Amino acid sequence: MRSPVTGIVALLALLLVMIVAYMSLFTVQQTEQTIVLQFGKPVDVVTDPGLHFKAPWNSVINVDKRILDLENPSQEVIASDQKRLVVDAFARYRIKDALRFYQSVGSIQAANLQLTSLLNAALRRVLGEVNFITVVRDEREKLMGRIREQLDHEADGYGIEVVDVRIRRADLPEQNSQAVYQRMQTERQREAAEFRAQGGQKAQEIRSKADREATVIIAEANSTAEQTRGVGDAERNRLFAEAYGKDADFFAFYRSMTAYENGLKSGDTRFLLRPDSDFFRYFSNPSGKTATETPAKP
């Protein structure tokens, strides 16, 4: 029979084996790379995901190998034309050399602080060489590429690769922006007033030309009308003369009827004439002859 001491020893031995096995195994996730430390000194770097072995007395430090974001607070930068710019930028990076990263900065928080300082220096160097218009409009993409290259070169010593650098906003400070907006507004108002003045002058020229042409057209029309009226009056007089030559009595009758039509219209016109006046001769005698002109009956 086994003694109780033997069972306890076996159980302790099994427990010790389990503890040693547990301390000798470690897992590397797909998003991580692991540094193996022996008494605080790195002895190995494991990048393959899965279950791995180590000495029980060794420790491990996991380092993220995904692309990380670096948020940089807004910085004031002076461009080459001495204009102040408020620049809001950010970067993306990944840890390509876990051992160098651990030996140089040690943690992601410390890396962010160091990269922030390097990014601000790169922003000032690159943007300080160009003017305001180049930064905000003309060559922003090219400038971001230059900043990324400089930051990547400086971050290489920390085992970091800078993937991208972007400028969210590059604008004048608020007080400068207000002054620029007011100056732009004043300039637009001046241009608008100038355009209105030019338009008014052009409208006056067109109106004067139209009035002059209208006066000429009306004068020519009146002249043509007078000529036509003169020709008509001449033709009328000729016809009257021919009618008078052919039948003097009928012509006298026609003239009297026309005088009746024009003189006896409705209105306030009044005539004070004797009934036996020559004007009413056709009322008393259809032939239009007066009593002295009527021959006496035999």
Side-chain angles (χ1 to χ4, degrees):
M1 292 181 61
R2 293 181 178 179
S3 64
V5 176
T6 304
I8 294 174
V9 170
L11 182 61
L12 292 175
L14 178 62
L15 181 61
L16 180 61
V17 170
M18 292 178 61
I19 293 174
V20 171
Y22 176 78
M23 296 179 63
S24 300
L25 296 175
F26 67 95
T27 303
V28 179
Q29 301 294 332
Q30 293 181 344
T31 60
E32 296 175 342
Q33 47 191 330
T34 301
I35 303 174
V36 180
L37 302 177
Q38 182 175 350
F39 306 117
K41 295 182 179 181
V43 293
D44 192 15
V45 176
V46 181
T47 59
D48 297 329
L51 188 64
H52 297 270
F53 294 92
K54 64 179 181 64
W57 53 86
N58 290 346
S59 60
V60 296
I61 295 177
N62 296 323
V63 178
D64 202 327
K65 65 178 181 181
R66 293 173 295 182
I67 293 178
L68 305 174
D69 292 331
L70 174 66
E71 292 293 336
N72 189 47
S74 299
Q75 299 291 322
E76 190 170 281
V77 179
I78 300 178
S80 62
D81 53 2
Q82 300 305 311
K83 289 186 177 180
R84 295 181 178 272
L85 297 175
V86 176
V87 179
D88 183 9
F90 69 93
R92 292 188 177 95
Y93 69 95
R94 68 181 183 88
I95 301 170
K96 66 177 182 179
D97 189 336
L99 181 58
R100 188 184 302 176
F101 173 83
Y102 174 75
Q103 291 174 337
S104 58
V105 291
S107 66
I108 292 178
Q109 292 76 12
N112 287 340
L113 292 175
Q114 187 66 30
L115 288 177
T116 298
S117 177
L118 296 177
L119 177 58
N120 291 334
L123 285 171
R124 290 189 173 89
R125 283 195 303 269
V126 174
L127 301 185
E129 296 174 356
V130 296
N131 56 34
F132 171 74
I133 299 299
T134 303
V135 175
V136 301
R137 186 187 65 187
D138 294 344
E139 299 181 3
R140 178 178 290 196
E141 190 72 25
K142 182 178 178 181
L143 295 174
M144 290 189 296
R146 290 177 55 191
I147 295 171
R148 189 202 68 80
E149 291 175 1
Q150 292 190 17
L151 182 60
D152 180 60
H153 177 72
E154 294 176 347
D156 184 68
Y158 303 103
I160 294 173
E161 177 187 4
V162 178
V163 178
D164 192 16
V165 173
R166 292 288 165 178
I167 297 177
R168 285 198 189 96
R169 183 177 68 94
D171 204 351
L172 295 172
E174 184 64 26
Q175 60 273 20
N176 294 15
S177 298
Q178 292 299 328
V180 171
Y181 294 152
Q182 292 178 0
R183 185 165 63 251
M184 292 173 61
Q185 183 179 11
T186 303
E187 183 65 18
R188 298 293 89 77
Q189 290 175 350
R190 184 192 64 78
E191 292 180 356
E194 183 178 353
F195 290 151
R196 280 194 293 268
Q198 293 176 356
Q201 180 181 359
K202 192 67 176 179
Q204 185 63 34
E205 293 176 357
I206 295 173
R207 194 177 296 111
S208 300
K209 183 179 179 181
D211 292 342
R212 183 169 62 253
E213 291 178 353
T215 302
V216 172
I217 292 173
I218 292 173
E220 292 177 351
N222 290 334
S223 175
T224 303
E226 291 296 332
Q227 293 176 4
T228 304
R229 190 177 294 109
V231 172
D233 290 343
E235 183 66 16
R236 183 191 62 180
N237 293 335
R238 185 185 65 78
L239 294 175
F240 282 164
E242 289 181 358
Y244 181 78
K246 291 180 180 180
D247 192 343
D249 292 336
F250 177 77
F251 183 75
F253 174 77
Y254 175 77
R255 294 295 298 272
S256 296
M257 292 300 104
T258 302
Y260 292 158
E261 181 182 5
N262 295 329
L264 299 178
K265 292 180 178 180
S266 61
D268 295 335
T269 302
R270 297 181 181 181
F271 291 94
L272 298 177
L273 299 173
R274 293 176 57 186
D276 56 351
S277 65
D278 187 61
F279 184 75
F280 295 111
R281 60 181 177 172
Y282 283 98
F283 282 82
S284 59
N285 189 345
S287 64
K289 295 182 179 180
T290 59
T292 56
E293 295 177 345
T294 304
K297 293 182 179 180

